[in-house]
Amino acid sequence: MRLCRLLFFVLSYLPGYGYAVPPAQQPLFDSLVVRHYSYGEYKAGSGNYCGVAAPDGMLYFGNSEGVLSYDGLEWKLYKVADQYGVTALLLKDNKLYYGGYNVAGYITFDPRGNAIIHPFKFFGRLQEKPGDIWQIIETKDGLYFQSYKDIYLLKPSGKFYQIGVPNAHIFKIQDFILASDFTGRLWRIKDRQATPWLALPDIYDDAVYAVVPLTANRDLLFTDMYGVFVLDHTTQTIKPWQVPVNAELAKYDVYHAMPYLDSLIICTTETNGLYVFNKKGQKKKIPVSQLPKLGMREIVLDHHRQIWITSGDGIYHIYEHKYTLLENFKPAVKIKSISSELGPITQINRIFEPNYLVIEFATPGFEQAELEYSVWLEGYDDDWTPWEQTNRKEYTSLGHGDYIFHVKARTRDGRYAIAPASLAFGVTLPLYKRPAVIALILLLMGLLAFMLLRLRYLELKKAHADLEVKVNERTAQLRDEREKLKALNEELSTANAELDNFVYRSSHDLMAPLKSLRGLMNVTRLETDDKTINKYIDMMEASVLRLERFINHIMEYSINAKSDSIHTTTDLEVVLNEILEELSHFDKRHAISISLDLQQKELNTDPKRLKIILSNLLTNAIKYHNTEQANPAIKVTSYKKGHEVHISVQDNGHGIAPEHLQKIFDMFYRASETSEGSGLGLYIVQDTAKKLGGRIEVASQPGQGSTFTLILPE
């Protein structure tokens, strides 16, 4: 298999290698030069497989990284796939067809030499991929692509067909395609039909690697391991070529062969390099010693009839100092690029006035050292420049205007005329130097200055308005704060007054029971009558109870003022029963009928504060009730009204005179000096109701009783 074989080449005859040349044999050339281009020079992969010479002198090579081009001066690499190289090339109708690993397509070039890749989608859609494509051959039927999986035909219509002949090489012979598989069988292929034809005699493990015309009706078939055979189209027979060189070719394994200089044949072998011989099989001496024995691959002839050999270690160029051109080759200078300090220029009809301009040129088909150039920039130079070996011309300080660049070339020996090249381009003033643009820039700068001033004016105006709004807001804020401060001062004055009153009344109410108690204790010490002593003790107990109630009121006031409310689900009936149980020792408690009518029992409130309020209301209702009247009663009701809960404590006792109703919630207020209370109870009730977010209301008629209603949010 060609994919698995070692693809090596070597020159067929070097002093000390291969068979010795008879002393009488004349050299084929007077002298030869070998030039080796390594991958370090052309900046691509080391492996090269194939090549073609274009009509304009350009050379293209299939490289392990893509397609290499060479114009005699510069190498370029064109990548056709992400990871794979190119193993087959064919040039047809200005299209460079390529084949590689599972890929094929063609390349076109724009006027500036830029490559445009056109891949074929057909091979990517195949279920069984083709692998490496090694040959591309043109016929009137279309293009044939050869891989070891199959042979594929691309018709002029653009449609692909599979031929169905695997493991075969293909060659164009007369009016058909010859296919040779690795069983020694030959096939004739025309259009899409493959027909078994002849067979290599007694060969079952080799195939034809090259076909070279011998006469009008006979072709030489080069095999890898069995030498060369003659195919006679007249008799349709295949026989070994009976010449001396054939034994060597069989021994060293032919890889590639092609006609050379009309009467000669040149071929490469896998293990002994390059062979050159005539059509009688007589070897020709090649006076070179710089070629390696291994690594050579396919041969390419350029338009000087010079030899290029691809290899696994670069590309070799073998040429004579004296050379001839093919009659149909018309060399011409090509202008490669035009660039400035800003880089390559593509719009050459309008180049903005550059600091410098560089024009590069080359002549495909010639090495740079073989040529001399002369240039003339029409519109700048007075005459052609002297001949010199350079491929670039640099100009500085080109003014605006139209120019035509002319370049001509000649070989250094003056033997060949080379077509000149011309390039017309225009240099224009930069935009910033044009009067209209300058005027426009000045106008724009004026407009910009006006807009900036206008924008600044609007910013200042807005800042002034914002400042005015802030001043007004701050003034209003200060006014509000002043009002709040005034209210706080009033509250502070009230609080101070209440504090003074609280201190005065508290000390009075604390001292009165203590003084009474002290007096009673002194009197009791002097008394000897037990009955009288017991009376004094009862009076002392009353003073202690009075003092206890007052202290309790002070504690309730302190708790309400300092602690936060903790709202929980509270059962009103449970709270009332606890209060009534605590009030059961009151003298009047059992003389009064107390009833509960609770339509709303469950509350979301602070149970401790609720108990303080209801305990004070029920205590007052019992303490100040008229138990001498008929049917003294107290009724506690609760119900929901809108989003509020109403809890009322109603009695049918003495009632409250109208002149006292507005004052009963003041701190230490008593309706008369003879009242037993501390004057804190209702004040605590009202203050605690506010803490719960509620309020307390009272309704009373003298002689009919009073109703205190606690209203709480739901």
Side-chain angles (χ1 to χ4, degrees):
M1 298 288 287
R2 184 174 183 176
L3 183 63
C4 301
R5 294 170 46 220
L6 178 65
L7 304 179
F8 292 125
F9 286 84
V10 67
L11 278 171
S12 63
Y13 181 83
L14 296 176
Y17 297 93
Y19 292 116
V21 179
Q25 186 177 3
Q26 295 296 319
L28 179 61
F29 304 101
D30 292 335
S31 64
L32 288 177
V33 178
V34 176
R35 173 75 186 273
H36 176 220
Y37 294 95
S38 67
Y39 62 88
E41 293 181 75
Y42 53 71
K43 308 299 182 185
S46 60
N48 298 277
Y49 305 96
C50 57
V52 293
D56 61 358
M58 291 289 293
L59 292 172
Y60 299 98
F61 298 95
N63 181 267
S64 56
E65 292 186 9
V67 176
L68 280 173
S69 71
Y70 184 59
D71 60 6
L73 176 67
E74 182 184 23
W75 292 91
K76 283 187 178 180
L77 175 67
Y78 307 102
K79 289 183 175 290
V80 299
D82 292 336
Q83 300 178 349
Y84 305 109
V86 170
T87 50
L89 288 173
L90 173 71
L91 191 62
K92 177 181 181 297
D93 299 333
N94 295 320
K95 294 180 179 179
L96 182 62
Y97 290 87
Y98 65 86
Y101 184 73
N102 294 330
V103 295
Y106 64 91
I107 304 172
T108 57
F109 298 90
D110 64 17
R112 309 308 305 166
N114 299 310
I116 305 170
I117 311 298
H118 308 269
F120 293 136
K121 297 180 180 179
F122 168 77
F123 295 102
R125 293 194 295 261
L126 289 175
Q127 185 173 0
E128 185 178 12
K129 303 303 179 186
D132 287 307
I133 293 175
W134 290 99
Q135 293 174 277
I136 306 174
I137 294 181
E138 175 191 2
T139 70
K140 62 182 180 61
D141 297 327
L143 297 180
Y144 287 89
F145 294 79
Q146 173 266 330
S147 79
Y148 289 114
K149 294 293 183 182
D150 205 342
I151 300 170
Y152 310 89
L153 171 62
L154 171 61
K155 299 287 287 182
S157 63
K159 189 172 182 179
F160 274 94
Y161 297 91
Q162 289 186 240
I163 304 303
V165 180
N167 294 321
H169 299 153
I170 57 175
F171 310 93
K172 184 179 179 181
I173 298 179
Q174 296 182 352
D175 62 343
F176 65 92
I177 290 292
L178 171 69
S180 171
D181 64 28
F182 277 83
T183 65
R185 175 177 294 181
L186 304 184
W187 301 69
R188 289 172 59 100
I189 301 175
K190 295 193 68 172
D191 196 9
R192 290 179 286 166
Q193 301 297 321
T195 305
W197 188 33
L198 304 174
L200 296 172
D202 301 322
I203 294 176
Y204 307 101
D205 57 352
D206 203 356
V208 176
Y209 275 74
V211 175
V212 176
L214 183 62
T215 63
N217 293 313
R218 293 190 301 164
D219 291 313
L220 294 179
L221 308 182
F222 289 77
T223 65
D224 177 34
M225 299 180 293
Y226 298 97
V228 186
F229 295 82
V230 179
L231 167 61
D232 191 321
H233 292 275
T234 302
T235 61
Q236 294 198 6
T237 58
I238 299 175
K239 297 179 180 179
W241 192 27
Q242 302 295 336
V243 294
V245 75
N246 201 10
E248 290 188 49
L249 299 180
K251 179 179 179 181
Y252 295 117
D253 302 334
V254 172
Y255 181 79
H256 188 232
M258 64 185 305
Y260 182 60
L261 298 179
D262 299 328
S263 62
L264 299 176
I265 299 171
I266 184 170
C267 75
T268 53
T269 62
E270 293 186 20
T271 56
N272 203 39
L274 186 68
Y275 277 76
V276 178
F277 45 87
N278 61 22
K279 294 186 177 181
K280 294 181 180 180
Q282 298 170 332
K283 291 197 303 180
K284 299 295 180 180
K285 181 179 179 180
I286 303 176
V288 294
S289 58
Q290 299 93 336
L291 287 173
K293 279 183 158 299
L294 302 177
M296 298 295 181
R297 291 174 179 164
E298 289 193 3
I299 307 164
V300 181
L301 297 181
D302 64 15
H303 295 287
H304 300 290
R305 297 184 176 90
Q306 295 178 355
I307 300 170
W308 297 75
I309 302 178
T310 63
S311 77
D313 186 31
I315 298 171
Y316 289 86
H317 181 197
I318 308 171
Y319 60 95
E320 217 179 351
H321 283 296
K322 295 180 180 180
Y323 53 84
T324 58
L325 296 179
L326 297 177
E327 293 181 359
N328 60 349
F329 177 49
K330 305 297 180 184
V333 180
K334 281 189 174 183
I335 297 176
K336 294 167 56 66
S337 66
I338 180 169
S339 59
S340 71
E341 67 273 12
L342 300 178
I345 297 172
T346 56
Q347 299 294 331
I348 60 174
N349 61 329
R350 189 180 63 178
I351 302 173
F352 291 115
E353 195 172 74
N355 293 327
Y356 66 86
L357 198 69
V358 177
I359 302 175
E360 294 185 343
F361 39 86
T363 304
F366 289 88
E367 295 285 345
Q368 174 65 20
E370 298 171 346
L371 300 176
E372 295 176 331
Y373 292 93
S374 178
V375 301
W376 170 39
L377 182 59
E378 188 176 342
Y380 183 81
D381 294 326
D382 295 329
D383 201 355
W384 290 89
T385 63
W387 292 97
E388 57 182 339
Q389 282 186 278
T390 181
N391 69 301
R392 68 196 304 269
K393 183 64 178 177
E394 181 175 336
Y395 297 95
T396 58
S397 304
L398 287 178
H400 67 282
D402 294 325
Y403 300 88
I404 302 177
F405 177 77
H406 304 278
V407 56
K408 58 185 179 180
R410 69 182 185 186
T411 57
R412 296 181 65 187
D413 57 13
R415 294 173 57 195
Y416 295 102
I418 298 174
S422 299
L423 175 69
F425 62 90
V427 175
T428 183
L429 282 173
L431 291 176
Y432 64 87
K433 289 186 177 181
R434 299 182 186 180
V437 175
I438 293 173
L440 179 61
I441 291 174
L442 292 175
L443 177 61
L444 291 175
M445 290 176 65
L447 289 175
L448 180 60
F450 172 77
M451 293 298 295
L452 290 174
L453 291 174
R454 177 66 177 170
L455 181 61
R456 182 59 180 164
Y457 167 74
L458 293 175
E459 288 178 351
L460 291 174
K461 185 177 180 181
K462 184 177 183 300
H464 180 268
D466 293 342
L467 182 58
E468 187 175 358
V469 170
K470 289 181 179 179
V471 168
N472 292 334
E473 290 177 351
R474 183 58 179 165
T475 301
Q477 184 179 0
L478 290 174
R479 189 182 301 113
D480 292 341
E481 290 178 353
R482 185 174 59 191
E483 293 297 328
K484 291 179 180 178
L485 184 59
K486 182 179 178 181
L488 288 173
N489 286 332
E490 290 177 355
E491 290 180 4
L492 182 59
S493 297
T494 302
N496 286 334
E498 289 182 350
L499 180 60
D500 292 341
N501 187 35
F502 178 79
V503 172
Y504 171 76
R505 295 301 300 271
S506 295
S507 61
H508 177 271
D509 288 351
L510 286 171
M511 291 301 294
L514 291 175
K515 288 180 179 180
S516 175
L517 184 60
R518 183 178 180 183
L520 290 172
M521 290 173 64
N522 289 333
V523 172
T524 303
R525 287 192 185 99
L526 300 175
E527 186 61 52
T528 58
D529 183 45
D530 291 339
K531 184 176 181 181
T532 303
I533 290 173
N534 289 334
K535 178 181 177 182
Y536 289 156
I537 290 174
D538 291 339
M539 292 173 68
M540 284 189 284
E541 183 180 9
S543 294
V544 170
L545 292 174
R546 181 181 174 188
L547 182 59
E548 182 183 6
R549 285 195 298 271
F550 183 75
I551 292 173
N552 284 336
H553 282 160
I554 291 175
M555 291 177 62
E556 290 174 353
Y557 171 76
S558 175
I559 291 171
N560 183 63
K562 294 182 179 180
S563 63
D564 295 329
S565 295
I566 301 176
H567 286 235
T568 60
T569 302
T570 304
D571 191 326
L572 178 59
E573 187 174 10
V574 171
V575 174
L576 288 172
N577 287 333
E578 289 178 358
I579 295 171
L580 293 176
E581 178 65 26
E582 293 172 359
L583 298 178
S584 60
H585 65 280
F586 273 42
D587 293 338
K588 295 182 180 181
R589 164 67 183 85
H590 300 288
I592 301 171
S593 171
I594 299 176
S595 62
L596 305 179
D597 182 10
L598 307 177
Q599 299 178 20
Q600 182 71 27
K601 294 183 179 181
E602 189 174 280
L603 307 176
N604 183 23
T605 186
D606 186 337
K608 292 183 179 180
R609 283 185 166 84
L610 178 64
K611 186 175 181 180
I612 289 172
I613 295 171
L614 296 179
S615 178
N616 276 283
L617 292 178
L618 285 170
T619 299
N620 288 347
I622 294 172
K623 185 187 296 184
Y624 301 109
H625 206 293
N626 181 14
T627 55
E628 300 299 329
Q629 70 181 42
N631 302 318
I634 298 173
K635 183 178 182 181
V636 181
T637 60
S638 68
Y639 57 92
K640 184 177 178 183
K641 185 177 182 180
H643 294 288
E644 296 178 327
V645 176
H646 291 236
I647 304 172
S648 297
V649 179
Q650 180 183 8
D651 67 72
N652 58 353
H654 295 290
I656 303 172
E659 63 270 19
H660 297 301
L661 281 178
Q662 299 302 321
K663 300 179 181 180
I664 60 176
F665 294 106
D666 293 345
M667 182 183 288
F668 296 115
Y669 179 77
R670 296 172 180 169
S672 67
E673 290 298 328
T674 60
S675 298
E676 297 180 3
S678 64
L680 286 175
L682 291 180
Y683 175 83
I684 292 172
V685 166
Q686 185 182 57
D687 192 55
T688 307
K690 290 179 181 179
K691 284 282 187 177
L692 294 178
R695 62 187 185 277
I696 192 77
E697 296 179 354
V698 61
S700 181
Q701 290 291 333
Q704 296 184 11
S706 303
T707 302
F708 288 83
T709 302
L710 172 63
I711 302 173
L712 298 174
E714 184 179 7

